[in-house]
Amino acid sequence: QVQLVESGGGLVQAGDSLRLSCAASGRTFSGYVMAWFRQAPEKEREFVAAISWFGITMYADSVKGRFTISRDNARNTVYLQMNSLKPEDTAVYYCATNRKVPPSAIQDDYDYWGQGTQVTVSS
């Protein structure tokens, strides 16, 4: 079983930056793809970014050029650096992972999810 715990969310002003972290624990982490999704109030969960074990990344168009996903395999941790934050980035951000899958924007491709961390961006 894999457990994921997100941290780093908070309340910021438009244009500010935040770095989210997701720490993984459990019986295995090697070879897993990691991803970030987000869910705004009254909206469905949407893809943000994903990264493979070897560092291949993909991003939603809405965050390209502003967000960067990275991972530290030795620490079993994935990060989301968020710059130039906008009010429309306000959401609960969720970390997700699965084994033996490439980076994917499809929610159903991920079997393990964290509890989420709130990011609020004021105008």
Side-chain angles (χ1 to χ4, degrees), residues 11-18 66 82-86 121-122:
L11 174 63
V12 299
Q13 294 182 343
D16 285 353
S17 298
L18 282 174
R66 298 188 299 121
M82 305 185 295
N83 298 328
S84 301
L85 283 163
K86 304 174 181 179
V121 185
S122 63

Side-chain angles (χ1 to χ4, degrees), residues 37-117:
F37 289 75
R38 66 187 182 186
Q39 188 167 17
E42 306 299 325
K43 300 287 188 178
E44 293 192 355
R45 191 171 298 181
E46 67 176 359
F47 172 77
V48 177
I51 185 168
S52 76
W53 177 255
F54 297 105
I56 305 300
T57 60
M58 63 183 301
Y59 297 92
D61 288 341
S62 60
V63 306
K64 285 182 179 178
R66 298 188 299 121
F67 291 10
T68 302
I69 189 171
S70 62
R71 66 192 295 164
D72 185 338
N73 291 337
R75 297 185 178 184
N76 293 337
T77 301
V78 64
Y79 304 95
L80 185 68
Q81 178 66 45
M82 305 185 295
N83 298 328
S84 301
L85 283 163
K86 304 174 181 179
E88 50 263 45
D89 295 318
T90 295
V92 176
Y93 283 71
Y94 296 91
C95 179
T97 190
N98 202 10
R99 64 171 64 184
K100 299 182 179 181
V101 295
S104 173
I106 306 301
Q107 184 174 190
D108 288 346
D109 285 342
Y110 299 91
D111 289 339
Y112 304 99
W113 296 81
Q115 294 298 307
T117 185

Side-chain angles (χ1 to χ4, degrees), residues 10-33:
L11 174 63
V12 299
Q13 294 182 343
D16 285 353
S17 298
L18 282 174
R19 190 181 75 161
L20 306 183
S21 298
C22 174
S25 62
R27 61 185 178 185
T28 186
F29 186 73
S30 179
Y32 278 53
V33 63

